[in-house]
Structures are given as structure tokens and as C-alpha cells.
Amino acid sequence: MSEEGFLGAGDVLTHARVEFRSQPHPIPADARIVYKLAQIALVLNSFNRKSASIENLHLFTWSLQSRRRGQMLLSWWAGSRYSNTVTRRSDPHLAVALNVGLIRGLVSLSGANKNRVTLQPLGALLVQQIDSDSDLMSAEKTYLQQFNRLSDAAISRRLVRSS
């Protein structure tokens, strides 16, 4: 069939009008890759050696998603809530952001099962830039400072203590 036969003069498609309208559907902040990368960098910077297990990275980025979640983790940390009510949480946007962070050189994976995430120099530079502006991610920075210096071992000890 020729092109004219398919889209001939009498064909409806010839006279079809295509119209685009803007219908904004905002993406939640915690689903935005750049924001999630900044969260990851801040969390890893709070850990000894700027390195954490993926499980603990999930836990802390999950806790940054809302004030309620942050309070749940702080209650667990203080020993006033059982750890099993908090520690099995995951951040559904973390995997995508980690892949982008790996590609961009912000983080690296290590460990026998590639289950440790380490902040790389480029990621540390991102943290420095965030820290240089006191208004930028101030809620996240203030929240993470409440935990002092984090480590996978310290988190494991807290889990055992409050189970």
C-alpha cells in the first residue's frame, strides 16, 4: 500500500489535530535522584570511614523521608521503642540513586557481597558544598547530628540492646 493510500486525503489522520497541554504532576522530593544522592552523601558522611552497609543506608535514608519516621528511629536509638518496629525499613528510591551515584563516582561498593557503600572524594565534595550553605538541607543535617558518629557496629549493638 502506498503512503498516500494509507494517509489519503479522506483519511481521518490527515485532518487530526494534536494538542499538548501542560498538566504538572510533581515528583515527590524523596523520588528525585539529585535529592536522594545528597541524602546518601550526608548519611554516609555521618558514618565512620564514610562507609555503611546497604541495610543501614536504607534505614537512615528511610528515616529522612518524614518527621514521623525520623522520630521513630530516634525513639529506637534512645531505647524507648523496640528495634524490630523500625529496623526492617527500606527506601524504595535508594537503588536507583545508588546506581547513579556509582556511575557518577560519588560512591563505591565494597565488601564480599558488595553490600557496603563508601563515599568517594566527589561525594565528599558534595557534602562540603551542602555544609557550606546553612539553609541547604538544614533539617537533614540537624537530624543526622543527633546520632553523633555512626557505625555499623554501633547500630548492631543498639539492635541487640533494644530487641
Side-chain angles (χ1 to χ4, degrees):
M1 177 179 284
S2 72
E3 186 176 320
E4 186 172 308
F6 182 70
L7 297 174
D11 194 84
V12 176
L13 293 177
T14 305
H15 302 291
R17 181 178 168 170
V18 177
E19 184 178 320
F20 295 97
R21 286 178 274 142
S22 176
Q23 296 180 335
H25 296 282
I27 298 172
D30 62 333
R32 296 177 186 166
I33 299 297
V34 173
Y35 175 72
K36 188 58 64 180
L37 285 171
Q39 274 188 337
I40 291 168
L42 286 173
V43 169
L44 289 174
N45 194 59
S46 298
F47 274 79
N48 285 340
R49 297 186 202 143
K50 300 180 191 308
S51 182
S53 70
I54 289 178
E55 183 178 72
N56 287 332
L57 188 57
H58 264 288
L59 176 63
F60 277 86
T61 58
W62 168 85
S63 74
L64 286 169
Q65 290 178 0
S66 73
R67 186 175 303 230
R68 181 178 164 271
R69 290 178 180 185
Q71 288 304 316
M72 286 176 66
L73 184 57
L74 282 169
S75 294
W76 161 71
W77 194 258
S80 59
R81 177 186 288 269
Y82 289 113
S83 64
N84 62 358
T85 63
V86 175
T87 58
R88 300 295 172 232
R89 307 299 185 186
S90 66
D91 180 347
H93 307 292
L94 184 63
V96 173
L98 276 177
N99 284 331
V100 173
L102 285 165
I103 291 167
R104 297 291 183 187
L106 298 171
V107 297
S108 66
L109 294 179
S110 61
N113 297 324
K114 301 289 185 196
N115 62 348
R116 292 198 62 71
V117 182
T118 303
L119 194 62
Q120 294 300 298
L122 194 56
L125 180 61
L126 175 59
V127 172
Q128 287 176 354
Q129 290 174 337
I130 294 168
D131 281 343
S132 70
D133 184 341
S134 61
D135 293 330
L136 185 61
M137 299 185 80
S138 60
E140 291 88 342
K141 291 186 283 191
T142 301
Y143 172 75
L144 289 169
Q145 288 171 355
Q146 296 177 72
F147 294 95
N148 296 319
R149 202 59 161 161
L150 294 168
S151 71
D152 290 332
I155 293 169
S156 293
R157 283 191 302 271
R158 298 258 181 172
L159 282 172
V160 170
R161 183 190 76 196
S162 63
S163 295

